[in-house]
Amino acid sequence: MQIPTDVKNLISEFERCGYSMYVVGGYVRDMLLGKSGGDIDLASSAQPAQAEAVLKNAGVSFVETGLKHGTITAVINHTPYEITTFRSDGEYSDSRHPESVAFIKDINADLARRDFTINAMAYNEAAGVIDLFGGQEDLKRGIIRAVGDADMRFKEDALRIMRALRFASQLGFRLDDETAAAALANKELLNNISAERIFVELVKILMGKNVLFVLSEYREIFGVIIPELRPCFDCAQNNPWHIYDVYSHIAHAVAASPKKPVIRLAMLFHDIGKPLVKTTDERGIDHFKTHAEKSADIAQRILERFKAPNAIKDEAVALVKYHQTLEKVDDIRPKRWLNKIGYEYTADLFEVRIADLKAHNPEKIGYEVQKINGLRQSLAQIVAAGEAFRISDLAVDGNDLIALGYHGREIGERLNEILSLVVDDKLPNTREDILNFLNK
Ligand code: ATP
Ligand code: MG
């Protein structure tokens, strides 16, 4: 184990003043996995006021970040370290918050309140790794196991169900049988947890390397936090393009996409409306006309419910809505697209479509992928050549229109009209040509 010198010194300082202090939680886990980086959380027997006194004495600056729970953040060489007083949690009445916390002298009970064995280890140089619950063994075996009685721990705090899936996805681990059974049995308690906190964990799950396994194995849990997914479970897609039901296709498409939150969210929602528009023709072939628009509406609703940041919501919804437009690659005018949804969106839209195709029948996708790669190239060329597709790319701006006597909304309308002509190659993007056109 290697911990930074600043942390070693801080621990020595606390010990000199008669307190114990350890690195705890995620940092210990990640060190044992051979991963570096990440925030360092510290736990100490010093109560908040005592910890403040030690820090003041040592000339270390700090902020009080959660005094009620005994948390102070020390800042050393611009790096923040959270210091939390050893505590045991009191009774939980709402699957969310303990009624009280009690500060304690000993690290053992503090480790016992932590969620999973791999997160319940402590370290300092004198003591080495303190591992009371077999965390190191579980790390070796790739197991997420609740500390203590899994059923009780999820009843205390249902967010731990999401955290279990999150660590499984990030680390490529499996849930221990008892932990898995308890997570499934208590899944409805997730309805007590705030949407924002669930969303944070959901995004982390989607970004994890083991997301396909987690989405597939624990789909019932995803059906609680996103009930709109339920109709996708086992919804057959009987046509030559598909080899999976709608939900399995979604899970494969998420896993096949680049690790960018907005793209992974778009993949999760891209076909969510399919069950609602499914028709079967006389030959028994399934069709899903207008499913992209339908899915976009549902995605909008879900992301609003999760209180997702607007930028994420707007782009994810757009990606869902347009995810099929690339089918008609031959009719598409690349610049129109750039104009309509911007370069960033357009580049992401390619990723969405390629991930979508990868989750189709592999025998059917070669031609499509080729077309899309071709179009992707021509878009990159347009951008590299500096061709106009945004208002800001035009050779004139609002001031020119004001000088010509336009005002208010007219200015934007005229600029859009000009851009439209330029994008369609009907008007060259030079100052002279545009001013001539406006003077006509
Ligand atoms: P990350 O690397 O993502 O920060 P982490 O394990 O450090 O992972 P945090 O959310 O930062 O996760 O929490 C720090 C530690 O606090 C955890 O390792 C765990 O010991 C404990 N912890 C956090 N949330 C809970 C919870 N809901 N129930 C019990 N213990 C928790
Ligand atoms: Mg952490």
Side-chain angles (χ1 to χ4, degrees):
M1 288 283 280
Q2 261 309 321
I3 53 174
T5 311
D6 284 345
V7 175
K8 283 186 201 167
N9 293 340
L10 192 65
I11 293 174
S12 304
E13 195 57 31
F14 272 74
E15 287 173 344
R16 211 175 52 78
C17 298
Y19 306 107
S20 51
M21 180 179 257
Y22 300 89
V23 178
V24 288
Y27 193 83
V28 180
R29 178 195 68 222
D30 291 345
M31 288 299 279
L32 290 168
L33 285 171
K35 290 192 233 171
S36 56
D39 295 342
I40 298 188
D41 295 323
L42 298 160
S44 171
S45 61
Q47 296 211 5
Q50 297 170 326
E52 289 188 5
V54 176
L55 293 171
K56 261 188 205 139
N57 210 351
V60 173
S61 60
F62 61 86
V63 257
E64 298 176 347
T65 38
L67 268 198
K68 190 165 149 253
H69 292 104
T71 305
I72 296 166
T73 302
V75 183
I76 308 171
N77 290 323
H78 307 290
T79 307
Y81 300 97
E82 244 186 37
I83 303 172
T84 306
T85 306
F86 296 158
R87 55 176 233 234
S88 63
D89 292 338
E91 292 289 302
Y92 289 76
S93 57
D94 60 353
S95 332
R96 249 183 322 200
H97 305 294
E99 311 245 287
S100 59
V101 301
F103 296 143
I104 50 177
K105 282 268 170 302
D106 179 81
I107 182 88
N108 291 7
D110 183 88
L111 294 177
R113 75 171 170 87
R114 295 176 182 270
D115 48 8
F116 306 110
T117 61
I118 61 168
N119 289 343
M121 292 179 278
Y123 173 83
N124 69 24
E125 277 195 305
V129 178
I130 303 181
D131 177 11
L132 307 174
F133 309 103
Q136 291 173 100
E137 181 64 21
D138 286 342
L139 273 182
K140 274 198 207 101
R141 293 176 48 211
I143 299 279
I144 308 293
R145 182 198 313 275
V147 172
D149 182 74
D151 186 64
M152 219 171 80
R153 301 312 306 282
F154 289 137
K155 285 194 164 72
E156 281 172 2
D157 178 2
L159 187 69
R160 290 174 187 152
I161 297 171
M162 295 301 292
R163 287 175 56 88
L165 301 189
R166 186 255 275 201
F167 290 116
S169 185
Q170 287 179 328
L171 301 173
F173 283 20
R174 304 197 162 233
L175 270 55
D176 158 70
D177 287 348
E178 195 190 318
T179 299
L184 286 164
N186 289 293
K187 61 185 188 296
E188 303 293 339
L189 293 177
L190 283 167
N191 290 314
N192 299 341
I193 303 295
S194 83
E196 291 98 320
R197 295 178 76 203
I198 291 188
F199 187 67
V200 168
E201 297 299 329
L202 173 65
V203 171
K204 289 181 180 174
I205 292 171
L206 292 177
M207 297 285 284
K209 62 180 176 195
N210 206 22
V211 61
L212 176 58
F213 168 78
V214 170
L215 282 173
S216 310
E217 187 80 7
Y218 303 107
R219 70 178 197 183
E220 294 303 326
I221 294 172
F222 293 94
V224 172
I225 61 165
I226 306 172
E228 292 89 342
L229 280 172
R230 302 194 64 84
C232 302
F233 297 169
D234 307 314
C235 177
Q237 310 195 77
N238 187 19
N239 61 42
W241 301 100
H242 281 284
I243 49 175
Y244 301 120
D245 65 64
V246 175
Y247 184 79
S248 308
H249 164 71
I250 286 175
H252 280 86
V254 169
S257 66
K259 287 186 183 169
K260 181 173 171 184
V262 71
I263 292 182
R264 293 227 148 168
L265 285 163
M267 298 323 296
L268 184 66
F269 301 134
H270 80 288
D271 278 353
I272 198 167
K274 271 186 168 176
L276 300 174
V277 299
K278 179 174 174 176
T279 56
T280 304
D281 69 21
E282 61 284 357
R283 290 169 305 151
I285 305 290
D286 295 332
H287 302 274
F288 302 93
K289 292 216 175 79
T290 73
H291 78 268
E293 289 83 355
K294 190 60 139 189
S295 301
D297 289 346
I298 298 173
Q300 171 89 25
R301 200 167 74 216
I302 295 169
L303 290 168
E304 273 167 15
R305 206 166 61 218
F306 277 131
K307 304 191 175 71
N310 281 336
I312 295 268
K313 181 180 69 194
D314 293 347
E315 182 174 349
V317 170
L319 292 175
V320 173
K321 184 167 173 186
Y322 297 121
H323 82 267
Q324 290 278 76
T325 48
L326 291 165
E327 303 263 285
K328 304 206 175 64
V329 168
D330 300 330
D331 326 330
I332 283 179
R333 305 184 32 82
K335 265 196 277 182
R336 266 265 158 244
W337 260 30
L338 289 172
N339 170 230
K340 194 168 173 179
I341 61 174
Y343 182 67
E344 174 87 8
Y345 277 28
T346 307
D348 287 348
L349 194 54
F350 282 109
E351 301 293 356
V352 165
R353 187 56 185 155
I354 286 172
D356 183 9
L357 286 168
K358 282 184 182 162
H360 278 67
N361 179 355
E363 286 170 13
K364 289 283 188 179
I365 63 167
Y367 177 61
E368 288 274 330
V369 171
Q370 217 181 330
K371 278 202 293 190
I372 285 165
N373 282 331
L375 189 58
R376 185 202 289 232
Q377 247 170 14
S378 57
L379 280 167
Q381 274 161 12
I382 289 169
V383 174
E387 289 190 47
F389 59 89
R390 291 165 300 204
I391 297 251
S392 59
D393 298 329
L394 289 175
V396 299
D397 63 17
N399 291 326
D400 296 310
L401 274 83
I402 290 168
L404 289 172
Y406 291 98
H407 32 89
R409 281 187 30 213
E410 276 176 345
I411 299 171
E413 283 166 13
R414 279 307 252 176
L415 286 171
N416 270 317
E417 187 190 338
I418 295 164
L419 180 62
S420 214
L421 292 168
V422 168
V423 162
D424 287 339
D425 297 322
K426 288 179 184 150
L427 179 66
N429 185 26
T430 71
R431 219 178 131 70
E432 201 190 343
D433 285 298
I434 296 174
L435 291 178
N436 271 339
F437 169 80
L438 287 168
N439 280 323
K440 258 197 284 181

